[in-house]
């Protein structure tokens, strides 16, 4: 024990009280606008299926088609790893986990599409298709065949299709209510948002539905699809996407980048429309900053190069998709779109390789941080949060097992949740 230091101050306690009082509204605003990550599982992808093509067996069909593509074009771990450049030591574990995933849970998030993938139809036809979609989704959740997340993408809030989009949303949600209620994994996607007022209008629609059915305020959330330049930079020079999040009044759950609509909007020619184009990077960077801390998650777009045809062509498409997915993960876009069943093997291969190749280093750094053991990296609480989030995402998608993470870190799932987000604490998240 050293010499007892004399502690002296110069300011009266009232100074601190006055400063705190002056910041009360700021404290409240920070808590409201930036609550942090919701602490729930984020799917690694979203699969879009046109409303008329969606059937009770769609999810299993996608898994079977993905397995068939794998068997035909890369029948073993070594050949699959050689196509994608997966390190030799990860070839077996990644291949085995990809196959297991395709057998167990091939799709993590399914969106039944009533927008571009469905197109204009007679009202009676779209009504019937929306009602059928609600019935099939309700049945899937009831019999245990649903994806963790399922929902619809309705038509947008632009004048030409607004009434149709509102009606389809109403028919679908009403069908779910009549079938027993809204499932926990329900997701709605609002496309082609240009002005925050369109988000406000959709909020009014959801509020009206909640009142009509006696649902809790805020029960219905939705994703905002970013497909126009005006959603990134408004006419007054502000970031419109930030205003859209605010206009959602806590209901926004995600921002989804629309690769091809956005690219066309800013004049990118068809041959260069891709998720790694500089225009795409700019849009997603603005989305990412606008969403940071709000609890709204960002999703990358898709590739329209399909893994079909001769093996050589499939391999080329796989390498492209794998590379784009790995690129997105490194930039903290943990979700993307998949447009074809044969995209699933490379989606999961990229995701699983990303988490498994960094497992030991992340676990060691987190364990050292918890033990205050030091080392060659000086980590801070923010880094511990990122390390825990990394491990949790890997567990949730099936890339990692909680047992191996616990063995390497000495931490439980609850411990990891506590480091990753205060909102995760106490939540039960079921891994696949």
């Amino acid at each position: 024990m050293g010499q007892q230091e004399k502690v002296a101050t110069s300011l009266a306690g009232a100074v601190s009280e006055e400063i705190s009082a002056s910041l009360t509204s700021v404290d409240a605003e920070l808590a409201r606008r930036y609550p942090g990550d919701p602490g729930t599982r984020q799917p690694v992808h979203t699969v879009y299926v046109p409303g008329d093509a969606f059937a009770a067996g769609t999810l299993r069909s996608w898994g079977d088609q993905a397995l068939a593509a794998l068997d035909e074009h890369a029948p073993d771990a070594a050949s699959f790893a050689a196509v994608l450049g997966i390190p030799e030591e990860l070839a077996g574990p990644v291949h085995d986990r990809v196959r297991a995933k395709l057998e167990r849970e091939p799709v993590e998030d399914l969106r039944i599409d009533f927008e571009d993938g469905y197109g204009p139809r007679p009202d009676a036809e779209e009504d019937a298709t929306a009602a059928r979609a609600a019935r099939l989704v309700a049945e899937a959740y009831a019999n245990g065949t649903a994806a963790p997340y399922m929902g619809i993408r309705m038509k947008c809030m632009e004048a030409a299709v607004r009434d149709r989009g509102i009606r389809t949303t109403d028919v679908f949600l009403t069908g779910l209510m009549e079938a027993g209620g809204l499932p926990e994994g329900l997701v709605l996607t609002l496309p082609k948002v240009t002005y925050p007022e369109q988000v406000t209008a959709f909020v009014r629609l959801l509020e009206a539905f909640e009142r009509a059915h006696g649902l809790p305020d805020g029960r219905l959330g939705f994703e905002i699809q970013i497909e126009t330049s005006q959603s990134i930079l408004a006419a007054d020079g502000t970031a419109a996407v930030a205003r859209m999040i605010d206009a959602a009044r806590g209901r926004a759950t995600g921002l989804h980048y629309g690769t091809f609509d956005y690219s066309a909007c800013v004049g990118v020619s068809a041959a260069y429309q891709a998720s790694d184009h500089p225009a795409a990077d700019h849009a997603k960077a603005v989305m990412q900053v606008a969403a940071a801390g709000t609890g709204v998650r960002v999703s990358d777009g898709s590739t329209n190069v399909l893994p079909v045809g001769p093996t050589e062509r499939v391999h080329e498409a796989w390498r492209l998709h794998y590379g784009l997915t790995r690129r997105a993960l490194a930039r903290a876009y943990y979700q993307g779109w998949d447009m074809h069943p044969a995209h699933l093997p490379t989606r999961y291969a990229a995701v699983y390789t990303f988490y498994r190749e960094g497992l030991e280093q992340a676990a060691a750094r987190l364990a050292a941080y918890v033990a205050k053991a030091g080392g060659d990296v000086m980590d801070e609480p923010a880094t511990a949060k990122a390390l825990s989030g990394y491990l949790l995402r890997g567990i949730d998608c099936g890339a990692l097992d909680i047992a191996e993470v616990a063995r390497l870190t000495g931490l439980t799932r609850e411990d990891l949740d506590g480091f990753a987000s205060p909102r995760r604490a106490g939540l039960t998240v079921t891994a696949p």
Side-chain angles (χ1 to χ4, degrees):
M1 294 291 291
Q3 179 180 350
Q4 185 70 34
E5 296 290 343
K6 178 183 177 181
V7 177
T9 63
S10 302
L11 302 176
V15 174
S16 179
E17 294 173 3
E18 290 171 1
I19 290 173
S20 293
S22 72
L23 291 174
T24 298
S25 61
V26 172
D27 294 338
E29 188 75 348
L30 280 170
R32 182 184 73 83
R33 289 183 182 272
Y34 303 104
D37 188 85
T40 53
R41 175 182 176 184
Q42 181 180 9
V44 302
H45 69 169
T46 301
V47 163
Y48 281 77
V49 176
D52 56 336
F54 175 62
T58 293
L59 296 176
R60 186 61 266 153
S61 174
W62 271 62
D64 291 343
Q65 291 179 68
L67 285 166
L70 199 56
D71 288 339
E72 179 179 357
H73 301 292
D76 53 47
S79 59
F80 192 47
V83 171
L84 302 179
I86 297 173
E88 182 179 354
E89 65 274 14
L90 292 179
V94 167
H95 181 264
D96 291 347
R97 285 174 184 269
V98 168
R99 289 198 64 90
K101 180 73 167 181
L102 296 175
E103 292 167 355
R104 180 186 68 250
E105 186 186 78
V107 175
E108 292 197 353
D109 184 27
L110 176 74
R111 205 69 70 250
I112 305 164
D113 192 15
F114 288 89
E115 202 229 358
D116 286 348
Y118 185 73
R121 307 288 181 99
D123 284 340
E125 181 180 347
E126 184 158 341
D127 280 351
T129 305
R132 176 175 170 274
R135 174 177 58 81
L136 292 175
V137 168
E139 290 174 356
Y141 277 104
N143 63 29
T145 61
Y149 300 95
M150 297 180 75
I152 65 169
R153 176 171 72 169
M154 66 291 297
K155 290 178 173 64
C156 69
M157 282 288 155
E158 293 177 354
V161 294
R162 182 183 304 138
D163 289 345
R164 183 62 259 179
I166 290 172
R167 183 171 175 84
T168 296
T169 304
D170 187 10
V171 170
F172 178 73
L173 294 177
T174 300
L176 289 177
M177 292 299 297
E178 292 181 347
L182 304 179
E184 287 302 314
L186 175 66
V187 186
L188 304 174
T189 302
L190 179 64
K192 292 183 175 58
V193 181
T194 304
Y195 283 83
E197 289 81 1
Q198 293 168 327
V199 173
T200 299
F202 197 64
V203 168
R204 289 174 180 160
L205 169 62
L206 300 183
E207 288 174 339
F209 188 88
E210 289 167 350
R211 288 194 300 270
H213 289 274
L215 296 170
D217 181 51
R219 170 63 182 85
L220 289 163
F222 61 98
E223 301 165 337
I224 301 170
Q225 202 156 8
I226 304 301
E227 301 177 272
T228 67
S229 61
Q230 296 90 344
S231 61
I232 295 298
L233 188 67
D236 62 0
T238 61
V241 64
R243 293 164 56 204
M244 290 174 184
I245 293 173
D246 192 50
R249 298 175 58 187
R251 294 177 185 265
T253 59
L255 301 174
H256 283 229
Y257 176 67
T259 304
F260 305 104
D261 281 283
Y262 187 89
S263 297
C265 183
V266 297
V268 179
S269 60
Y272 297 96
Q273 292 178 359
S275 61
D276 60 350
H277 189 280
D281 284 342
H282 171 258
K284 287 180 287 186
V286 175
M287 291 162 56
Q288 191 173 46
V289 173
T294 65
V296 178
R297 288 158 166 172
V298 175
S299 173
D300 198 4
S302 62
T303 174
N304 59 0
V305 179
L306 304 184
V308 296
T311 294
E312 182 179 358
R313 187 176 301 167
V314 170
H315 286 180
E316 289 176 359
W318 272 356
R319 281 190 286 269
L320 174 65
H321 185 240
Y322 179 88
L324 290 173
T325 303
R326 287 300 309 264
R327 184 180 189 274
L329 289 167
R331 286 159 174 76
Y333 309 133
Y334 298 112
Q335 185 175 353
W337 297 9
D338 288 326
M339 310 299 288
H340 190 275
H343 278 141
L344 300 185
T346 39
R347 169 67 60 181
Y348 292 120
V351 171
Y352 290 1
T353 303
F354 175 75
Y355 288 111
R356 294 208 65 81
E357 70 185 7
L359 167 60
E360 292 190 2
Q361 183 185 55
R365 286 178 65 180
L366 186 57
Y369 173 83
V370 173
K372 297 181 171 57
D376 59 354
V377 179
M378 181 67 72
D379 286 328
E380 298 183 354
T383 309
K385 176 180 177 179
L387 291 167
S388 298
Y390 173 87
L391 296 172
L392 286 166
R393 289 179 185 278
I395 293 168
D396 287 344
C397 71
L400 311 176
D401 299 322
I402 185 62
E404 65 181 334
V405 173
R407 175 175 55 82
L408 292 169
T409 63
L411 301 174
T412 65
R413 170 85 198 213
E414 185 177 3
D415 294 331
L416 294 171
D417 286 336
F419 280 115
S421 170
R423 296 173 73 184
R424 277 185 177 265
L427 286 177
T428 301
V429 182
T430 303

